[in-house]
Amino acid sequence: MTDRTAELTIGDQQLELPIIEPTIGNDGLGISSLRNITGDVTFDPGFANTAGTRSSITYINGAEGILRHRGYSIEDLALNAEFLEVAYLLLFGELPNQQQLAEWNSGIAGHALVKEEMKRFFDAFPNNAHPMAIMASATNAISTFYEEYHDPSDEEAVIESAIRLIAKMPTIAAWSYKKSMGMPYNYPRSELDYVENFLHMMFHLPTEETKVDPVIARALNVLFILHADHEQNCSTAMVRGVGSSRANLFTSVAAGISALWGPLHGGANQQVIEMLKTIVEDPEEDAQSMIARAKDPDDPFKLMGFGHRVYKNHDPRAIVLRTYADDVLATVGVSDPLLEVAKELEQAALQDDYFIERKLFPNVDFYSGIIFRALGFPSRMFTVLFSIGRVPGWIAQWKEMTEDPETRIMRPRQIYVGKVERDFVRLADR
Ligand code: CMC
């Protein structure tokens, strides 16, 4: 906080609002005394203009298409780091040195197994259960095995929970897939690293020797890094919101997984592929017909993978993925007609006045699904992959929230527009 203030006039009342200064980015108008002094509240659907916290984890400049974690650009991290290295950076604020990284990696590897009882939990779901529903449920369920780590003010317990969550996510994700395929579950193997282990648990049969393609492992590493955090997005806000009631980390992250599933958020990556498939398979549809539907005010359809609350310019993650999609497809030897359709659709939208005026650009979900597909993942797993990547971000944001002395339970106000007061009418008289 500085001495700078802003003035707010409501009728004949004048209020001096403190200006909260960032290190970079938007100033914040401090309105916490507004209701006490004036009796009024602010009205901001979707909190599009409201900062709920100070944060030092992730910086986004939506106008210039910049994304940085702890000051490091997403491009640098995606090209040069490993996913668990970025997870460490998000959680602890600094890049690990070699020894710290080795300890961090082996700590996580040591907790990749889930309790054997959890198998019965997976078995109970129908075979066609969406893996995101299983992910959210299983994440909540594993909290039952770790009650000793539930206290958010116990620093050691929080780190123990964080390690277990990051470690077990790939196992839960792979088992939710195996369950849907009616195939036996694979256990993690100690000689494989984090991403390799996930690929092994996803794709190998217990009858076969484990062989992980390093190209696929590196591509998945990059994808996880690109999804690792994105400041106060919908799912992160939910994780913080649940955690603000002092609920434990496991259950807070389960809430984030539920929020991520929605098609306007992480669920968009699955929807993009469905949309591109429709264009390829349905002779009545093409890029222009999709764009026409997206522009029609009477049609709820949106061009999936386009638009963003914060980016009013290219999403830097989408730029990395766009070039990466060509490389990955060429390296794994897959040619996908959906990639050509995606490029065509992108060009058509970027030249259309509707999209230009509203500053709608491709977001991270536009190209990620094409790469996930090329790596062999079915589309129902795409949002699960997003959630494995996002777990370190959710944890870092949750941890920052619990350590912040300014944190209060999340509890927005409302503008009541219902009936004012009515006399009760007994059932017999209605
Ligand atoms: N297709 C057509 N019109 C759009 C789209 C779209 N994809 N996105 C926004 N618009 C229009 C919107 O209808 C509105 O038009 P008007 O001013 O005429 O009412 C205008 O652009 C502003 O959009 P908004 O809905 O106010 O923007 P928002 O910040 O509330 O929503 C969004 C952001 C991401 C939910 C939205 O752009 C969207 O639904 N996109 C499609 C779903 C998607 O790709 N989601 C992934 C988001 S990025 C990664 C992640 O979070 O998972």
Side-chain angles (χ1 to χ4, degrees):
M1 189 125 26
T2 62
D3 295 338
R4 287 169 60 220
T5 56
E7 272 182 15
L8 177 69
T9 308
I10 307 174
D12 54 8
Q13 251 183 334
Q14 282 228 323
L15 214 72
E16 235 177 58
L17 304 177
I19 293 183
I20 294 127
E21 290 207 334
T23 48
I24 179 173
N26 304 118
D27 282 346
L29 303 185
I31 52 127
S32 35
S33 62
L34 178 70
R35 192 178 155 276
N36 275 350
I37 296 176
T38 65
D40 295 331
V41 294
T42 53
F43 182 59
D44 187 20
F47 306 120
N49 300 277
T50 300
T53 184
R54 297 171 212 248
S55 181
S56 53
I57 300 172
T58 291
Y59 168 71
I60 302 176
N61 180 329
E64 292 178 24
I66 293 172
L67 169 60
R68 294 184 199 133
H69 298 314
R70 304 281 191 188
Y72 297 102
S73 82
I74 191 64
E75 293 84 357
D76 263 357
L77 293 171
L79 285 179
N80 301 308
E82 295 290 317
F83 174 60
L84 288 187
E85 211 177 333
V86 175
Y88 185 102
L89 171 72
L90 290 169
L91 248 77
F92 302 109
E94 298 296 335
L95 286 167
N97 62 27
Q98 289 183 26
Q99 191 191 335
Q100 287 166 328
L101 184 60
E103 283 169 14
W104 176 239
N105 286 347
S106 80
I108 288 174
H111 289 286
L113 274 172
V114 297
K115 297 274 182 197
E116 201 62 14
E117 292 99 310
M118 283 293 290
K119 270 192 178 168
R120 294 209 298 278
F121 187 85
F122 283 88
D123 286 343
F125 286 102
N127 275 349
N128 60 355
H130 197 289
M132 280 302 275
I134 304 183
M135 280 288 277
S137 314
T139 305
N140 226 337
I142 56 171
S143 74
T144 59
F145 297 99
Y146 304 106
E147 279 200 22
E148 70 273 31
Y149 299 135
H150 282 192
D151 179 0
S153 55
D154 179 341
E155 272 177 48
E156 227 171 274
V158 168
I159 298 301
E160 292 299 333
S161 308
I163 288 173
R164 279 163 183 75
L165 265 170
I166 296 171
K168 294 177 197 313
M169 277 302 138
T171 316
I172 293 174
W175 284 18
S176 70
Y177 170 68
K178 290 285 188 189
K179 161 71 195 171
S180 72
M181 301 297 287
M183 288 161 115
Y185 308 122
N186 282 335
Y187 289 101
R189 300 180 63 102
S190 55
E191 77 275 16
L192 300 176
D193 75 15
Y194 187 80
V195 173
E196 290 168 345
N197 238 323
F198 174 51
L199 289 166
H200 149 69
M201 288 188 284
M202 270 293 298
F203 295 119
H204 290 132
L205 291 173
T207 46
E208 286 173 355
E209 195 194 334
T210 295
K211 265 197 222 122
V212 177
D213 184 334
V215 174
I216 294 185
R218 180 60 208 159
L220 200 52
N221 234 305
V222 172
L223 280 149
F224 284 161
I225 292 171
L226 292 176
H227 288 93
D229 190 51
H230 215 231
E231 50 117 311
Q232 309 311 318
N233 57 85
C234 175
S235 54
T236 302
M238 296 310 126
V239 170
R240 278 180 174 262
V242 173
S244 75
S245 74
R246 316 291 288 162
N248 69 76
L249 181 58
F250 296 94
T251 214
S252 304
V253 167
I257 295 172
S258 300
L260 189 75
W261 190 8
L264 297 189
H265 193 8
N269 56 15
Q270 181 182 340
Q271 301 295 323
V272 170
I273 293 297
E274 310 299 342
M275 179 180 75
L276 297 175
K277 273 192 198 158
T278 309
I279 298 179
V280 170
E281 288 163 13
D282 184 343
E284 310 256 293
E285 297 282 5
D286 59 15
Q288 287 306 336
S289 67
M290 286 292 167
I291 288 178
R293 279 189 66 195
K295 287 160 58 171
D296 181 354
D298 297 325
D299 189 335
F301 174 80
K302 296 209 176 204
L303 201 62
M304 299 316 286
F306 256 79
H308 199 275
R309 170 62 59 78
V310 183
Y311 294 118
K312 302 300 167 194
N313 197 328
H314 281 98
D315 177 338
R317 301 166 300 172
I319 296 181
V320 174
L321 286 176
R322 192 179 193 281
T323 27
Y324 209 59
D326 279 320
D327 291 354
V328 171
L329 264 65
T331 320
V332 296
V334 172
S335 111
D336 189 345
L338 298 197
L339 180 59
E340 294 319 308
V341 172
K343 286 180 179 171
E344 212 179 291
L345 188 58
E346 178 188 9
Q347 281 319 307
L350 291 177
Q351 284 161 22
D352 190 290
D353 284 346
Y354 174 96
F355 289 84
I356 295 170
E357 280 158 22
R358 288 168 181 73
K359 300 189 167 74
L360 302 172
F361 291 86
N363 59 50
V364 67
D365 293 319
F366 195 70
Y367 283 107
S368 62
I370 291 172
I371 306 183
F372 289 145
R373 226 166 98 89
L375 300 184
F377 291 95
S379 61
R380 279 158 72 90
M381 283 298 288
F382 293 177
T383 314
V384 167
L385 298 168
F386 190 151
S387 71
I388 298 176
R390 185 54 57 89
V391 163
W394 286 329
I395 298 173
Q397 299 274 349
W398 184 96
K399 185 167 168 287
E400 184 179 67
M401 182 265 311
T402 58
E403 290 167 356
D404 182 352
E406 281 185 319
T407 294
R408 298 174 72 187
I409 187 166
M410 188 180 286
R411 202 303 184 189
R413 294 278 175 171
Q414 64 169 13
I415 312 285
Y416 178 69
V417 295
K419 297 272 189 282
V420 175
E421 192 175 16
R422 299 201 275 180
D423 290 330
F424 181 74
V425 181
R426 281 177 303 176
L427 187 57
D429 299 333
R430 272 178 249 153

